[in-house]
């Protein structure tokens, strides 16, 4: 892979044992009693970062560094949406036309995922609304879309947590309740897997010369590319975990209590936009990101895909493979298993 940007040099500590040279007979006793000394020296490891990647990182940082900010991820509960229905909000339902026609939140508009950029640019005046809420079936697709729109500069966009499953039990039965499973719970591990040495980040080839232009080109590409390769199922991962680079995006205690075999923990709030961290993620493997619910990982997946990683978010997160353990450890580890307490009884229209 060719890179045309600068090479970033990172200091790495290396320890060398320095032994004295051969001594004469008169120095033999001194030699035997001599303690080997250590000396630290600074080596440098080159990270290959393309010029376009640097420009995009700089542009996003100068515009607020959303991914490491307090508003990341931007989620809102169904109850909060319901309470604000009479306020100046806009609900954008990104499910299929058929799903929308069967039932949706009153006042919602139906827009295809690929049509969102044009809709936000010319179909509405986004900042005339207090909040714009994206709604999908389970909340994970809307998390992915919300992340992209936030990164584009739309700071009042939110994803509704749990999607339509949180709105009414009709949707919950076919959505989240159907997705929760303990099928692979006996296969999780507690091994602490270390990150590999950083090598670099994927090369971006938009041909643009400014960070803003590069970002615009990448956003357009991702919306056109669609959602077909955004999500992945637990069954695919557990059948061949070695085929993926698996990122656990959660607290340390949750990770240490049990995770997908081979998964490596990346600390929330201290990974994205930090070159030294992102450079440890391989550019030549499918990257699977997961968290407790699939919401946070949806936001992370959007960011990684923006920078060229072939990233996927695990559908339903930990809920999809260790649901019973989440229920059992809920009090001690603050897990978020989807339960009937997360389901409301709000009306929907056809």
């Amino acid at each position: 892979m060719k890179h045309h940007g600068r090479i970033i040099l990172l200091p790495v500590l290396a320890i060398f044992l320095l032994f004295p040279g051969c001594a004469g007979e008169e120095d033999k006793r001194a030699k035997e009693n001599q303690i080997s000394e250590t000396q630290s020296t600074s080596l440098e490891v080159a990270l290959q970062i393309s010029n376009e990647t640097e420009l995009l990182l700089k542009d996003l940082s100068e515009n607020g560094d959303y991914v490491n900010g307090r508003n990341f991820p931007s989620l809102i509960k169904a109850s909060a949406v319901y309470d604000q229905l009479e306020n100046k909000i806009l609900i954008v339902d990104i499910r299929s036309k058929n799903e929308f026609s069967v039932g949706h939140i009153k006042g919602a508009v139906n827009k295809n995922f690929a049509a969102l950029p044009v809709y936000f640019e010319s179909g509405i005046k986004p900042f005339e609304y207090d909040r714009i809420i994206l709604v999908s079936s389970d909340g994970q697709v809307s998390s992915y879309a919300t992340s992209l729109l936030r990164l584009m500069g739309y700071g009042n966009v939110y994803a509704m947590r749990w999607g339509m499953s949180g709105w009414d039990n009709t949707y919950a039965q076919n959505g989240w309740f159907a997705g929760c499973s303990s099928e692979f719970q006996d296969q999780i591990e507690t091994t602490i897997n270390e990150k590999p040495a950083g090598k670099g980040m994927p090369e971006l080839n938009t041909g643009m010369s400014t960070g803003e232009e590069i970002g615009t080109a990448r956003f357009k590409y991702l919306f056109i590319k669609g959602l077909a390769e955004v999500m992945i199922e637990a069954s695919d991962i557990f059948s061949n975990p070695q085929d993926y680079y698996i990122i656990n995006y959660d607290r340390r205690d949750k990770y240490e209590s049990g995770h997908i075999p081979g998964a490596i923990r990346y600390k929330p709030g201290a990974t994205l936009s930090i070159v030294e961290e992102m450079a440890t993620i391989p550019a030549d493997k499918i990257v699977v990101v997961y968290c407790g619910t699939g919401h946070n990982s949806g936001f992370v997946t959007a960011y990684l895909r923006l920078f060229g990683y072939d990233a996927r978010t695990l559908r339903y997160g930990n809920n999809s493979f260790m649901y019973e353990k989440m229920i059992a450890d809920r009090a001690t580890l603050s897990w978020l298993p989807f339960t009937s307490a997360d389901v409301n009884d709000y009306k929907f229209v056809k």
Side-chain angles (χ1 to χ4, degrees):
M1 181 169 61
K2 296 180 179 179
H3 295 268
H4 304 292
R6 66 185 177 90
I7 295 178
I8 295 179
L9 299 176
L10 298 178
V12 176
L13 186 65
I15 307 296
F16 294 93
L17 295 179
L18 301 182
F19 291 95
C22 296
E25 288 296 322
E26 65 275 18
D27 296 326
K28 185 177 294 185
R29 183 171 297 178
K31 174 186 175 183
E32 291 173 349
N33 294 330
Q34 185 173 6
I35 300 175
S36 299
E37 298 178 352
T38 61
Q39 179 179 352
S40 298
T41 185
S42 177
L43 294 182
E44 290 184 320
V45 176
L47 296 183
Q48 298 284 355
I49 309 296
S50 72
N51 184 57
E52 287 197 14
T53 299
E54 282 196 76
L55 290 172
L56 180 55
L57 282 166
K58 181 180 179 182
D59 182 70
L60 293 175
S61 177
E62 290 176 347
N63 284 284
D65 193 17
Y66 166 65
V67 297
N68 288 314
R70 60 185 297 181
N71 294 317
F72 182 88
S74 305
L75 295 166
I76 187 169
K77 293 181 178 180
S79 58
V81 176
Y82 181 81
D83 291 341
Q84 297 174 33
L85 284 178
E86 303 303 320
N87 296 340
K88 201 167 186 179
I89 66 171
L90 173 64
I91 300 173
V92 182
D93 192 319
I94 59 175
R95 295 176 298 156
S96 69
K97 288 184 177 180
N98 181 61
E99 290 174 306
F100 183 80
S101 64
V102 171
H104 58 267
I105 301 171
K106 183 180 179 180
V109 297
N110 186 214
K111 292 295 174 182
N112 181 274
F113 170 80
L116 288 177
V118 173
Y119 180 63
F120 272 72
E121 290 169 7
S122 57
I124 57 173
K125 295 180 179 179
F127 295 106
E128 289 187 348
Y129 298 96
D130 293 332
R131 285 185 174 88
I132 300 175
I133 295 102
L134 299 192
V135 177
S136 61
S137 297
D138 50 31
Q140 295 168 96
V141 168
S142 56
S143 293
Y144 175 77
T146 295
S147 184
L148 290 176
L149 290 169
R150 280 270 182 166
L151 288 164
M152 290 175 71
Y154 298 108
N156 58 344
V157 182
Y158 296 81
M160 191 168 80
R161 186 183 288 276
W162 312 120
M164 289 300 289
S165 289
W167 192 262
D168 181 86
N169 189 57
T170 302
Y171 297 100
Q173 292 303 320
N174 295 321
W176 267 91
F177 282 131
C180 292
S181 170
S182 303
E183 181 179 358
F184 304 104
Q185 187 167 292
D186 60 346
Q187 296 183 37
I188 62 176
E189 67 174 14
T190 56
T191 304
I192 306 301
N193 301 304
E194 301 295 334
K195 298 171 187 173
K199 293 183 179 180
M201 294 170 63
E203 183 175 2
L204 302 180
N205 293 296
T206 67
M208 302 299 172
S209 57
T210 70
E212 183 179 2
E213 292 172 335
I214 295 165
T216 298
R218 289 296 303 166
F219 288 126
K220 287 182 178 179
Y221 169 80
L222 291 175
F223 277 105
I224 292 173
K225 192 171 179 62
L227 301 167
E229 297 179 347
V230 169
M231 306 193 78
I232 191 168
E233 306 291 335
S235 56
D236 294 326
I237 300 173
F238 277 90
S239 60
N240 293 292
Q242 68 279 358
D243 291 347
Y244 309 98
Y245 186 79
I246 306 171
I247 292 178
N248 174 283
Y249 194 75
D250 220 325
R251 287 181 357 209
R252 178 177 295 277
D253 54 350
K254 292 183 176 181
Y255 172 76
E256 292 178 349
S257 73
H259 50 263
I260 298 174
I264 300 171
R265 176 180 175 266
Y266 282 74
K267 182 181 178 181
T271 299
L272 305 179
S273 83
I274 301 174
V275 173
E276 295 89 341
E277 288 288 305
M278 293 183 67
T280 63
I281 304 173
D284 58 353
K285 291 192 76 171
I286 295 177
V287 179
V288 174
V289 188
Y290 81 98
C291 62
T293 64
H295 288 300
N296 292 14
S297 61
F299 279 82
V300 174
T301 295
Y303 189 78
L304 292 180
R305 290 177 71 85
L306 179 65
F307 280 93
Y309 291 99
D310 186 2
R312 321 283 171 92
T313 177
L314 174 60
R315 189 185 297 272
Y316 302 116
N318 291 70
N319 278 264
S320 68
F321 64 88
M322 51 178 280
Y323 183 70
E324 291 177 359
K325 179 174 172 56
M326 294 179 75
I327 294 289
D329 297 342
R330 185 176 187 176
T332 56
L333 291 174
S334 303
W335 284 116
L336 286 175
F338 184 79
T339 68
S340 57
D342 298 303
V343 184
N344 294 282
D345 187 25
Y346 299 142
K347 293 181 179 179
F348 54 87
V349 298
K350 297 184 179 181

